[in-house]
Amino acid sequence: MKSLLQWTVIIPVLAWVLFFSGLINDSSIFQIVASILLIFSVMSAVHHSEIIAEKVGEPYGTIILAISITVIEVSIIISLMMTEGQAAASLARDTVYAATMLILNGIVGLCLLIGSVKHYEQEFSKPSVTIALVSLISIIVFTLVFPTFTESVAGSYYSNPQLIFASIACLVIYSCFLFAQTRKYRQYFLTIGKDENEENVEPLPISNSLFYTSMLFLIVCLGIVVLLAKTLSPTIESIITGYNLPKTLVGIVIAAIILLPEGIAAINAARKNRLQTSLNLSLGSALASIGLTIPSVAIVCIIYDFKIILGLDIKSIILLGLSVFTVMLSLNSGKTNVVYGVVLLVNLFAFIFLMIYP
């Protein structure tokens, strides 16, 4: 009963009540309240994910958080596509692209910077990063690059056979990555380095009831985070357009809100000298975001005969290639430093700047 009276449980419940009340659309005051509840719901999600990770161990805890957020993200994308039809043809591509750039440059960059500032140099398993990056590069090329250059269909589209092939390729690669992470090469993904905050503290056992409560409320928190982000998007859009900024920034803001639980969890782990956990979460989230989103959207598009725009323009391909290449070089030695984090964050600012000033 005590676990059900904590703020990490009460806050998301209040957020759901406010969402279903319909008051958000009628008052700017309730929109501010919703924004506050959104932020605290993100913090609640991080809290519950840490409990789950402590109970099930690594790398399963990071996988649960990454897949949970991705499944909810996919649900929102599909629901919008079903509602808006062909008007949302580029929605999946834009969402996946924004999420990938935010993860590779923003989350990984902040983890490397904050971890290096506090601990000077952090170590991680090089084989684990190589496995993740090899899988990620292949999925990125199949889903976001090839459609720009294929000739079966004019424009940045895949034909149905090509879309089916790309979807199967994503699922095969992501499944093999999960198999490597959880079974065959699990030792590569275990945390390197000791949490400086736990040197002399024996971890408390987590009961099954607390574990299942956290599992439930992780989904509750993630669900309301996505729904509130979607509900507040018109307000966000009006603010952005009020400053004569491009509407494409709305997608980045919403993607950033959705990725907040992962980002905060990853940064907290890096701060505690558990960079391996940060990289498991970051790179695993990028893989899940693409590897699960594109096949799910492809099924809907084939069934309802929608055309889906997947290929990026040349400028975006160059920026994405720069981001992947920089991450590869930054994580090539098995050790980190401040410079890597700064360069990745500069890449992120370049992504946002060139969207404002194309």
PDB file of all heavy atoms in Angstrom, residues 8-17 19-20 37-38 41-42 44-45 48 52 68 72 212-228 261:
ATOM      1  N   THR A   8       5.651   9.124  -7.256  1.00  0.00           N
ATOM      2  CA  THR A   8       5.915   8.500  -8.557  1.00  0.00           C
ATOM      3  C   THR A   8       4.722   7.707  -9.066  1.00  0.00           C
ATOM      4  O   THR A   8       4.675   7.338 -10.236  1.00  0.00           O
ATOM      5  CB  THR A   8       7.142   7.574  -8.464  1.00  0.00           C
ATOM      6  OG1 THR A   8       6.947   6.648  -7.374  1.00  0.00           O
ATOM      7  CG2 THR A   8       8.405   8.370  -8.226  1.00  0.00           C
ATOM      8  N   VAL A   9       3.779   7.429  -8.200  1.00  0.00           N
ATOM      9  CA  VAL A   9       2.529   6.767  -8.589  1.00  0.00           C
ATOM     10  C   VAL A   9       1.398   7.786  -8.702  1.00  0.00           C
ATOM     11  O   VAL A   9       0.598   7.747  -9.649  1.00  0.00           O
ATOM     12  CB  VAL A   9       2.151   5.666  -7.575  1.00  0.00           C
ATOM     13  CG1 VAL A   9       0.758   5.127  -7.855  1.00  0.00           C
ATOM     14  CG2 VAL A   9       3.179   4.531  -7.614  1.00  0.00           C
ATOM     15  N   ILE A  10       1.349   8.725  -7.749  1.00  0.00           N
ATOM     16  CA  ILE A  10       0.248   9.689  -7.717  1.00  0.00           C
ATOM     17  C   ILE A  10       0.304  10.650  -8.908  1.00  0.00           C
ATOM     18  O   ILE A  10      -0.724  10.952  -9.523  1.00  0.00           O
ATOM     19  CB  ILE A  10       0.275  10.480  -6.391  1.00  0.00           C
ATOM     20  CG1 ILE A  10       0.011   9.522  -5.213  1.00  0.00           C
ATOM     21  CG2 ILE A  10      -0.756  11.597  -6.400  1.00  0.00           C
ATOM     22  CD1 ILE A  10       0.172  10.177  -3.854  1.00  0.00           C
ATOM     23  N   ILE A  11       1.500  11.128  -9.253  1.00  0.00           N
ATOM     24  CA  ILE A  11       1.642  12.122 -10.322  1.00  0.00           C
ATOM     25  C   ILE A  11       1.109  11.608 -11.668  1.00  0.00           C
ATOM     26  O   ILE A  11       0.297  12.286 -12.317  1.00  0.00           O
ATOM     27  CB  ILE A  11       3.104  12.570 -10.455  1.00  0.00           C
ATOM     28  CG1 ILE A  11       3.515  13.424  -9.241  1.00  0.00           C
ATOM     29  CG2 ILE A  11       3.318  13.348 -11.749  1.00  0.00           C
ATOM     30  CD1 ILE A  11       2.802  14.755  -9.161  1.00  0.00           C
ATOM     31  N   PRO A  12       1.541  10.421 -12.144  1.00  0.00           N
ATOM     32  CA  PRO A  12       1.005   9.968 -13.439  1.00  0.00           C
ATOM     33  C   PRO A  12      -0.497   9.718 -13.410  1.00  0.00           C
ATOM     34  O   PRO A  12      -1.181   9.929 -14.422  1.00  0.00           O
ATOM     35  CB  PRO A  12       1.791   8.685 -13.723  1.00  0.00           C
ATOM     36  CG  PRO A  12       2.394   8.282 -12.433  1.00  0.00           C
ATOM     37  CD  PRO A  12       2.602   9.528 -11.659  1.00  0.00           C
ATOM     38  N   VAL A  13      -1.032   9.284 -12.257  1.00  0.00           N
ATOM     39  CA  VAL A  13      -2.489   9.101 -12.148  1.00  0.00           C
ATOM     40  C   VAL A  13      -3.195  10.444 -12.295  1.00  0.00           C
ATOM     41  O   VAL A  13      -4.196  10.560 -13.023  1.00  0.00           O
ATOM     42  CB  VAL A  13      -2.850   8.437 -10.804  1.00  0.00           C
ATOM     43  CG1 VAL A  13      -4.365   8.447 -10.592  1.00  0.00           C
ATOM     44  CG2 VAL A  13      -2.331   7.003 -10.764  1.00  0.00           C
ATOM     45  N   LEU A  14      -2.679  11.480 -11.624  1.00  0.00           N
ATOM     46  CA  LEU A  14      -3.257  12.820 -11.767  1.00  0.00           C
ATOM     47  C   LEU A  14      -3.158  13.311 -13.212  1.00  0.00           C
ATOM     48  O   LEU A  14      -4.084  13.970 -13.727  1.00  0.00           O
ATOM     49  CB  LEU A  14      -2.547  13.800 -10.836  1.00  0.00           C
ATOM     50  CG  LEU A  14      -2.782  13.625  -9.330  1.00  0.00           C
ATOM     51  CD1 LEU A  14      -1.926  14.614  -8.539  1.00  0.00           C
ATOM     52  CD2 LEU A  14      -4.254  13.801  -8.988  1.00  0.00           C
ATOM     53  N   ALA A  15      -2.049  12.986 -13.868  1.00  0.00           N
ATOM     54  CA  ALA A  15      -1.881  13.404 -15.264  1.00  0.00           C
ATOM     55  C   ALA A  15      -2.917  12.743 -16.166  1.00  0.00           C
ATOM     56  O   ALA A  15      -3.490  13.380 -17.060  1.00  0.00           O
ATOM     57  CB  ALA A  15      -0.464  13.068 -15.735  1.00  0.00           C
ATOM     58  N   TRP A  16      -3.184  11.460 -15.939  1.00  0.00           N
ATOM     59  CA  TRP A  16      -4.217  10.756 -16.713  1.00  0.00           C
ATOM     60  C   TRP A  16      -5.595  11.364 -16.456  1.00  0.00           C
ATOM     61  O   TRP A  16      -6.399  11.535 -17.388  1.00  0.00           O
ATOM     62  CB  TRP A  16      -4.221   9.265 -16.354  1.00  0.00           C
ATOM     63  CG  TRP A  16      -3.212   8.458 -17.120  1.00  0.00           C
ATOM     64  CD1 TRP A  16      -1.993   8.035 -16.679  1.00  0.00           C
ATOM     65  CD2 TRP A  16      -3.334   7.984 -18.464  1.00  0.00           C
ATOM     66  NE1 TRP A  16      -1.346   7.321 -17.652  1.00  0.00           N
ATOM     67  CE2 TRP A  16      -2.150   7.261 -18.761  1.00  0.00           C
ATOM     68  CE3 TRP A  16      -4.318   8.080 -19.438  1.00  0.00           C
ATOM     69  CZ2 TRP A  16      -1.932   6.658 -19.998  1.00  0.00           C
ATOM     70  CZ3 TRP A  16      -4.099   7.479 -20.677  1.00  0.00           C
ATOM     71  CH2 TRP A  16      -2.932   6.784 -20.942  1.00  0.00           C
ATOM     72  N   VAL A  17      -5.892  11.693 -15.190  1.00  0.00           N
ATOM     73  CA  VAL A  17      -7.185  12.301 -14.860  1.00  0.00           C
ATOM     74  C   VAL A  17      -7.336  13.633 -15.588  1.00  0.00           C
ATOM     75  O   VAL A  17      -8.399  13.928 -16.166  1.00  0.00           O
ATOM     76  CB  VAL A  17      -7.311  12.499 -13.332  1.00  0.00           C
ATOM     77  CG1 VAL A  17      -8.554  13.323 -13.003  1.00  0.00           C
ATOM     78  CG2 VAL A  17      -7.388  11.142 -12.625  1.00  0.00           C
ATOM     79  N   PHE A  19      -5.830  14.567 -18.314  1.00  0.00           N
ATOM     80  CA  PHE A  19      -5.928  14.317 -19.759  1.00  0.00           C
ATOM     81  C   PHE A  19      -7.355  13.957 -20.160  1.00  0.00           C
ATOM     82  O   PHE A  19      -7.900  14.494 -21.133  1.00  0.00           O
ATOM     83  CB  PHE A  19      -4.969  13.193 -20.151  1.00  0.00           C
ATOM     84  CG  PHE A  19      -5.078  12.780 -21.593  1.00  0.00           C
ATOM     85  CD1 PHE A  19      -4.526  13.561 -22.597  1.00  0.00           C
ATOM     86  CD2 PHE A  19      -5.747  11.612 -21.937  1.00  0.00           C
ATOM     87  CE1 PHE A  19      -4.637  13.180 -23.926  1.00  0.00           C
ATOM     88  CE2 PHE A  19      -5.863  11.228 -23.267  1.00  0.00           C
ATOM     89  CZ  PHE A  19      -5.304  12.015 -24.261  1.00  0.00           C
ATOM     90  N   PHE A  20      -7.994  13.063 -19.409  1.00  0.00           N
ATOM     91  CA  PHE A  20      -9.345  12.613 -19.757  1.00  0.00           C
ATOM     92  C   PHE A  20     -10.413  13.645 -19.375  1.00  0.00           C
ATOM     93  O   PHE A  20     -11.546  13.562 -19.850  1.00  0.00           O
ATOM     94  CB  PHE A  20      -9.654  11.275 -19.094  1.00  0.00           C
ATOM     95  CG  PHE A  20      -9.051  10.107 -19.801  1.00  0.00           C
ATOM     96  CD1 PHE A  20      -8.038   9.365 -19.205  1.00  0.00           C
ATOM     97  CD2 PHE A  20      -9.473   9.747 -21.074  1.00  0.00           C
ATOM     98  CE1 PHE A  20      -7.473   8.289 -19.858  1.00  0.00           C
ATOM     99  CE2 PHE A  20      -8.905   8.677 -21.734  1.00  0.00           C
ATOM    100  CZ  PHE A  20      -7.900   7.938 -21.132  1.00  0.00           C
ATOM    101  N   LEU A  37       2.958  18.368 -14.912  1.00  0.00           N
ATOM    102  CA  LEU A  37       2.706  16.939 -14.699  1.00  0.00           C
ATOM    103  C   LEU A  37       3.486  16.092 -15.697  1.00  0.00           C
ATOM    104  O   LEU A  37       3.935  14.988 -15.369  1.00  0.00           O
ATOM    105  CB  LEU A  37       1.207  16.660 -14.809  1.00  0.00           C
ATOM    106  CG  LEU A  37       0.323  17.208 -13.686  1.00  0.00           C
ATOM    107  CD1 LEU A  37      -1.147  16.949 -13.982  1.00  0.00           C
ATOM    108  CD2 LEU A  37       0.711  16.592 -12.343  1.00  0.00           C
ATOM    109  N   LEU A  38       3.647  16.605 -16.913  1.00  0.00           N
ATOM    110  CA  LEU A  38       4.421  15.892 -17.925  1.00  0.00           C
ATOM    111  C   LEU A  38       5.867  15.711 -17.470  1.00  0.00           C
ATOM    112  O   LEU A  38       6.419  14.606 -17.551  1.00  0.00           O
ATOM    113  CB  LEU A  38       4.359  16.668 -19.236  1.00  0.00           C
ATOM    114  CG  LEU A  38       5.270  16.207 -20.377  1.00  0.00           C
ATOM    115  CD1 LEU A  38       4.930  14.778 -20.783  1.00  0.00           C
ATOM    116  CD2 LEU A  38       5.154  17.129 -21.570  1.00  0.00           C
ATOM    117  N   SER A  41       6.012  13.252 -14.656  1.00  0.00           N
ATOM    118  CA  SER A  41       5.730  11.900 -15.154  1.00  0.00           C
ATOM    119  C   SER A  41       6.977  11.300 -15.783  1.00  0.00           C
ATOM    120  O   SER A  41       7.227  10.087 -15.675  1.00  0.00           O
ATOM    121  CB  SER A  41       4.587  11.936 -16.173  1.00  0.00           C
ATOM    122  OG  SER A  41       3.367  12.299 -15.565  1.00  0.00           O
ATOM    123  N   VAL A  42       7.769  12.145 -16.445  1.00  0.00           N
ATOM    124  CA  VAL A  42       9.049  11.686 -16.987  1.00  0.00           C
ATOM    125  C   VAL A  42       9.963  11.216 -15.858  1.00  0.00           C
ATOM    126  O   VAL A  42      10.592  10.144 -15.935  1.00  0.00           O
ATOM    127  CB  VAL A  42       9.719  12.811 -17.797  1.00  0.00           C
ATOM    128  CG1 VAL A  42      11.164  12.452 -18.115  1.00  0.00           C
ATOM    129  CG2 VAL A  42       8.950  13.079 -19.080  1.00  0.00           C
ATOM    130  N   SER A  44       9.029  10.162 -12.987  1.00  0.00           N
ATOM    131  CA  SER A  44       8.452   8.928 -12.444  1.00  0.00           C
ATOM    132  C   SER A  44       8.847   7.731 -13.296  1.00  0.00           C
ATOM    133  O   SER A  44       9.165   6.654 -12.767  1.00  0.00           O
ATOM    134  CB  SER A  44       6.923   9.051 -12.400  1.00  0.00           C
ATOM    135  OG  SER A  44       6.515  10.109 -11.566  1.00  0.00           O
ATOM    136  N   ALA A  45       8.823   7.917 -14.622  1.00  0.00           N
ATOM    137  CA  ALA A  45       9.210   6.823 -15.517  1.00  0.00           C
ATOM    138  C   ALA A  45      10.660   6.413 -15.277  1.00  0.00           C
ATOM    139  O   ALA A  45      10.982   5.214 -15.272  1.00  0.00           O
ATOM    140  CB  ALA A  45       9.005   7.251 -16.971  1.00  0.00           C
ATOM    141  N   HIS A  48      10.827   4.334 -12.003  1.00  0.00           N
ATOM    142  CA  HIS A  48      10.330   2.959 -12.159  1.00  0.00           C
ATOM    143  C   HIS A  48      11.265   2.122 -13.025  1.00  0.00           C
ATOM    144  O   HIS A  48      11.442   0.927 -12.761  1.00  0.00           O
ATOM    145  CB  HIS A  48       8.921   2.974 -12.747  1.00  0.00           C
ATOM    146  CG  HIS A  48       7.879   3.551 -11.829  1.00  0.00           C
ATOM    147  ND1 HIS A  48       7.597   3.015 -10.589  1.00  0.00           N
ATOM    148  CD2 HIS A  48       7.060   4.633 -11.955  1.00  0.00           C
ATOM    149  CE1 HIS A  48       6.649   3.730  -9.999  1.00  0.00           C
ATOM    150  NE2 HIS A  48       6.317   4.721 -10.806  1.00  0.00           N
ATOM    151  N   ILE A  52      13.119  -1.481 -12.052  1.00  0.00           N
ATOM    152  CA  ILE A  52      13.033  -2.669 -12.906  1.00  0.00           C
ATOM    153  C   ILE A  52      14.428  -3.152 -13.278  1.00  0.00           C
ATOM    154  O   ILE A  52      14.716  -4.357 -13.229  1.00  0.00           O
ATOM    155  CB  ILE A  52      12.213  -2.346 -14.176  1.00  0.00           C
ATOM    156  CG1 ILE A  52      10.754  -2.077 -13.796  1.00  0.00           C
ATOM    157  CG2 ILE A  52      12.293  -3.485 -15.179  1.00  0.00           C
ATOM    158  CD1 ILE A  52       9.938  -1.492 -14.925  1.00  0.00           C
ATOM    159  N   SER A  68       9.642  -0.332 -24.396  1.00  0.00           N
ATOM    160  CA  SER A  68       8.380   0.249 -23.916  1.00  0.00           C
ATOM    161  C   SER A  68       8.111   1.588 -24.577  1.00  0.00           C
ATOM    162  O   SER A  68       7.012   1.849 -25.090  1.00  0.00           O
ATOM    163  CB  SER A  68       8.427   0.418 -22.394  1.00  0.00           C
ATOM    164  OG  SER A  68       8.576  -0.815 -21.741  1.00  0.00           O
ATOM    165  N   ILE A  72       5.103   2.477 -27.583  1.00  0.00           N
ATOM    166  CA  ILE A  72       4.148   3.578 -27.433  1.00  0.00           C
ATOM    167  C   ILE A  72       4.327   4.589 -28.560  1.00  0.00           C
ATOM    168  O   ILE A  72       3.347   5.103 -29.129  1.00  0.00           O
ATOM    169  CB  ILE A  72       4.318   4.250 -26.062  1.00  0.00           C
ATOM    170  CG1 ILE A  72       3.945   3.258 -24.955  1.00  0.00           C
ATOM    171  CG2 ILE A  72       3.456   5.490 -25.952  1.00  0.00           C
ATOM    172  CD1 ILE A  72       4.217   3.736 -23.565  1.00  0.00           C
ATOM    173  N   TYR A 212       6.399  -5.528  -9.912  1.00  0.00           N
ATOM    174  CA  TYR A 212       5.234  -5.516 -10.795  1.00  0.00           C
ATOM    175  C   TYR A 212       4.531  -4.152 -10.784  1.00  0.00           C
ATOM    176  O   TYR A 212       3.995  -3.710 -11.811  1.00  0.00           O
ATOM    177  CB  TYR A 212       4.263  -6.623 -10.408  1.00  0.00           C
ATOM    178  CG  TYR A 212       4.788  -8.004 -10.704  1.00  0.00           C
ATOM    179  CD1 TYR A 212       4.919  -8.962  -9.690  1.00  0.00           C
ATOM    180  CD2 TYR A 212       5.169  -8.347 -11.987  1.00  0.00           C
ATOM    181  CE1 TYR A 212       5.418 -10.231  -9.956  1.00  0.00           C
ATOM    182  CE2 TYR A 212       5.677  -9.611 -12.265  1.00  0.00           C
ATOM    183  CZ  TYR A 212       5.804 -10.551 -11.251  1.00  0.00           C
ATOM    184  OH  TYR A 212       6.300 -11.790 -11.527  1.00  0.00           O
ATOM    185  N   THR A 213       4.549  -3.488  -9.623  1.00  0.00           N
ATOM    186  CA  THR A 213       3.995  -2.132  -9.564  1.00  0.00           C
ATOM    187  C   THR A 213       4.779  -1.183 -10.459  1.00  0.00           C
ATOM    188  O   THR A 213       4.199  -0.368 -11.197  1.00  0.00           O
ATOM    189  CB  THR A 213       4.003  -1.605  -8.119  1.00  0.00           C
ATOM    190  OG1 THR A 213       3.210  -2.457  -7.281  1.00  0.00           O
ATOM    191  CG2 THR A 213       3.449  -0.191  -8.054  1.00  0.00           C
ATOM    192  N   SER A 214       6.103  -1.298 -10.428  1.00  0.00           N
ATOM    193  CA  SER A 214       6.940  -0.446 -11.272  1.00  0.00           C
ATOM    194  C   SER A 214       6.754  -0.771 -12.749  1.00  0.00           C
ATOM    195  O   SER A 214       6.754   0.139 -13.595  1.00  0.00           O
ATOM    196  CB  SER A 214       8.412  -0.597 -10.878  1.00  0.00           C
ATOM    197  OG  SER A 214       8.640  -0.058  -9.593  1.00  0.00           O
ATOM    198  N   MET A 215       6.585  -2.044 -13.078  1.00  0.00           N
ATOM    199  CA  MET A 215       6.323  -2.428 -14.472  1.00  0.00           C
ATOM    200  C   MET A 215       5.044  -1.758 -14.960  1.00  0.00           C
ATOM    201  O   MET A 215       4.990  -1.190 -16.064  1.00  0.00           O
ATOM    202  CB  MET A 215       6.199  -3.948 -14.581  1.00  0.00           C
ATOM    203  CG  MET A 215       7.515  -4.684 -14.562  1.00  0.00           C
ATOM    204  SD  MET A 215       8.422  -4.571 -16.120  1.00  0.00           S
ATOM    205  CE  MET A 215       7.403  -5.599 -17.165  1.00  0.00           C
ATOM    206  N   LEU A 216       4.001  -1.834 -14.137  1.00  0.00           N
ATOM    207  CA  LEU A 216       2.718  -1.256 -14.520  1.00  0.00           C
ATOM    208  C   LEU A 216       2.823   0.256 -14.683  1.00  0.00           C
ATOM    209  O   LEU A 216       2.377   0.826 -15.694  1.00  0.00           O
ATOM    210  CB  LEU A 216       1.666  -1.608 -13.466  1.00  0.00           C
ATOM    211  CG  LEU A 216       0.293  -0.919 -13.630  1.00  0.00           C
ATOM    212  CD1 LEU A 216      -0.362  -1.321 -14.936  1.00  0.00           C
ATOM    213  CD2 LEU A 216      -0.601  -1.246 -12.438  1.00  0.00           C
ATOM    214  N   PHE A 217       3.442   0.907 -13.696  1.00  0.00           N
ATOM    215  CA  PHE A 217       3.465   2.369 -13.734  1.00  0.00           C
ATOM    216  C   PHE A 217       4.522   2.922 -14.679  1.00  0.00           C
ATOM    217  O   PHE A 217       4.454   4.100 -15.054  1.00  0.00           O
ATOM    218  CB  PHE A 217       3.645   2.933 -12.317  1.00  0.00           C
ATOM    219  CG  PHE A 217       2.350   3.006 -11.569  1.00  0.00           C
ATOM    220  CD1 PHE A 217       1.945   1.964 -10.752  1.00  0.00           C
ATOM    221  CD2 PHE A 217       1.508   4.097 -11.721  1.00  0.00           C
ATOM    222  CE1 PHE A 217       0.735   2.015 -10.082  1.00  0.00           C
ATOM    223  CE2 PHE A 217       0.302   4.163 -11.061  1.00  0.00           C
ATOM    224  CZ  PHE A 217      -0.100   3.116 -10.239  1.00  0.00           C
ATOM    225  N   LEU A 218       5.473   2.096 -15.103  1.00  0.00           N
ATOM    226  CA  LEU A 218       6.352   2.526 -16.190  1.00  0.00           C
ATOM    227  C   LEU A 218       5.539   2.727 -17.466  1.00  0.00           C
ATOM    228  O   LEU A 218       5.666   3.752 -18.156  1.00  0.00           O
ATOM    229  CB  LEU A 218       7.457   1.496 -16.434  1.00  0.00           C
ATOM    230  CG  LEU A 218       8.354   1.765 -17.648  1.00  0.00           C
ATOM    231  CD1 LEU A 218       9.092   3.091 -17.481  1.00  0.00           C
ATOM    232  CD2 LEU A 218       9.335   0.618 -17.859  1.00  0.00           C
ATOM    233  N   ILE A 219       4.658   1.773 -17.776  1.00  0.00           N
ATOM    234  CA  ILE A 219       3.790   1.898 -18.944  1.00  0.00           C
ATOM    235  C   ILE A 219       2.823   3.066 -18.772  1.00  0.00           C
ATOM    236  O   ILE A 219       2.579   3.841 -19.704  1.00  0.00           O
ATOM    237  CB  ILE A 219       3.006   0.590 -19.181  1.00  0.00           C
ATOM    238  CG1 ILE A 219       3.970  -0.586 -19.362  1.00  0.00           C
ATOM    239  CG2 ILE A 219       2.096   0.726 -20.387  1.00  0.00           C
ATOM    240  CD1 ILE A 219       4.910  -0.427 -20.527  1.00  0.00           C
ATOM    241  N   VAL A 220       2.277   3.218 -17.552  1.00  0.00           N
ATOM    242  CA  VAL A 220       1.356   4.332 -17.277  1.00  0.00           C
ATOM    243  C   VAL A 220       2.063   5.674 -17.500  1.00  0.00           C
ATOM    244  O   VAL A 220       1.507   6.584 -18.134  1.00  0.00           O
ATOM    245  CB  VAL A 220       0.827   4.237 -15.827  1.00  0.00           C
ATOM    246  CG1 VAL A 220       0.080   5.509 -15.450  1.00  0.00           C
ATOM    247  CG2 VAL A 220      -0.089   3.031 -15.677  1.00  0.00           C
ATOM    248  N   CYS A 221       3.283   5.792 -16.997  1.00  0.00           N
ATOM    249  CA  CYS A 221       4.037   7.048 -17.153  1.00  0.00           C
ATOM    250  C   CYS A 221       4.380   7.323 -18.606  1.00  0.00           C
ATOM    251  O   CYS A 221       4.196   8.450 -19.096  1.00  0.00           O
ATOM    252  CB  CYS A 221       5.322   6.997 -16.322  1.00  0.00           C
ATOM    253  SG  CYS A 221       5.076   6.977 -14.539  1.00  0.00           S
ATOM    254  N   LEU A 222       4.876   6.310 -19.300  1.00  0.00           N
ATOM    255  CA  LEU A 222       5.264   6.509 -20.685  1.00  0.00           C
ATOM    256  C   LEU A 222       4.052   6.848 -21.549  1.00  0.00           C
ATOM    257  O   LEU A 222       4.130   7.682 -22.459  1.00  0.00           O
ATOM    258  CB  LEU A 222       5.959   5.252 -21.221  1.00  0.00           C
ATOM    259  CG  LEU A 222       7.287   4.889 -20.563  1.00  0.00           C
ATOM    260  CD1 LEU A 222       7.841   3.603 -21.147  1.00  0.00           C
ATOM    261  CD2 LEU A 222       8.291   6.016 -20.718  1.00  0.00           C
ATOM    262  N   GLY A 223       2.931   6.199 -21.263  1.00  0.00           N
ATOM    263  CA  GLY A 223       1.718   6.470 -22.027  1.00  0.00           C
ATOM    264  C   GLY A 223       1.262   7.903 -21.889  1.00  0.00           C
ATOM    265  O   GLY A 223       0.956   8.573 -22.877  1.00  0.00           O
ATOM    266  N   ILE A 224       1.235   8.421 -20.664  1.00  0.00           N
ATOM    267  CA  ILE A 224       0.752   9.786 -20.460  1.00  0.00           C
ATOM    268  C   ILE A 224       1.770  10.805 -20.962  1.00  0.00           C
ATOM    269  O   ILE A 224       1.385  11.907 -21.413  1.00  0.00           O
ATOM    270  CB  ILE A 224       0.412  10.033 -18.962  1.00  0.00           C
ATOM    271  CG1 ILE A 224      -0.459  11.303 -18.835  1.00  0.00           C
ATOM    272  CG2 ILE A 224       1.663  10.149 -18.121  1.00  0.00           C
ATOM    273  CD1 ILE A 224      -1.739  11.267 -19.606  1.00  0.00           C
ATOM    274  N   VAL A 225       3.055  10.470 -20.937  1.00  0.00           N
ATOM    275  CA  VAL A 225       4.065  11.373 -21.493  1.00  0.00           C
ATOM    276  C   VAL A 225       3.816  11.582 -22.988  1.00  0.00           C
ATOM    277  O   VAL A 225       3.811  12.716 -23.492  1.00  0.00           O
ATOM    278  CB  VAL A 225       5.490  10.823 -21.254  1.00  0.00           C
ATOM    279  CG1 VAL A 225       6.500  11.549 -22.134  1.00  0.00           C
ATOM    280  CG2 VAL A 225       5.881  10.976 -19.791  1.00  0.00           C
ATOM    281  N   VAL A 226       3.588  10.491 -23.702  1.00  0.00           N
ATOM    282  CA  VAL A 226       3.354  10.586 -25.144  1.00  0.00           C
ATOM    283  C   VAL A 226       2.044  11.314 -25.433  1.00  0.00           C
ATOM    284  O   VAL A 226       1.973  12.180 -26.306  1.00  0.00           O
ATOM    285  CB  VAL A 226       3.351   9.183 -25.785  1.00  0.00           C
ATOM    286  CG1 VAL A 226       2.966   9.266 -27.255  1.00  0.00           C
ATOM    287  CG2 VAL A 226       4.716   8.540 -25.636  1.00  0.00           C
ATOM    288  N   LEU A 227       0.982  10.978 -24.705  1.00  0.00           N
ATOM    289  CA  LEU A 227      -0.325  11.588 -24.957  1.00  0.00           C
ATOM    290  C   LEU A 227      -0.333  13.081 -24.632  1.00  0.00           C
ATOM    291  O   LEU A 227      -0.915  13.887 -25.368  1.00  0.00           O
ATOM    292  CB  LEU A 227      -1.403  10.863 -24.150  1.00  0.00           C
ATOM    293  CG  LEU A 227      -1.717   9.433 -24.608  1.00  0.00           C
ATOM    294  CD1 LEU A 227      -2.704   8.776 -23.665  1.00  0.00           C
ATOM    295  CD2 LEU A 227      -2.263   9.431 -26.026  1.00  0.00           C
ATOM    296  N   LEU A 228       0.312  13.460 -23.529  1.00  0.00           N
ATOM    297  CA  LEU A 228       0.382  14.882 -23.192  1.00  0.00           C
ATOM    298  C   LEU A 228       1.239  15.637 -24.202  1.00  0.00           C
ATOM    299  O   LEU A 228       0.924  16.777 -24.566  1.00  0.00           O
ATOM    300  CB  LEU A 228       0.935  15.079 -21.776  1.00  0.00           C
ATOM    301  CG  LEU A 228      -0.009  14.742 -20.621  1.00  0.00           C
ATOM    302  CD1 LEU A 228       0.685  14.978 -19.283  1.00  0.00           C
ATOM    303  CD2 LEU A 228      -1.290  15.568 -20.696  1.00  0.00           C
ATOM    304  N   PRO A 261      12.667  10.215 -20.689  1.00  0.00           N
ATOM    305  CA  PRO A 261      12.960   9.159 -19.701  1.00  0.00           C
ATOM    306  C   PRO A 261      14.246   8.408 -20.007  1.00  0.00           C
ATOM    307  O   PRO A 261      15.064   8.170 -19.109  1.00  0.00           O
ATOM    308  CB  PRO A 261      11.729   8.242 -19.814  1.00  0.00           C
ATOM    309  CG  PRO A 261      10.650   9.120 -20.339  1.00  0.00           C
ATOM    310  CD  PRO A 261      11.319  10.081 -21.259  1.00  0.00           C
TER     311      PRO A 261
END
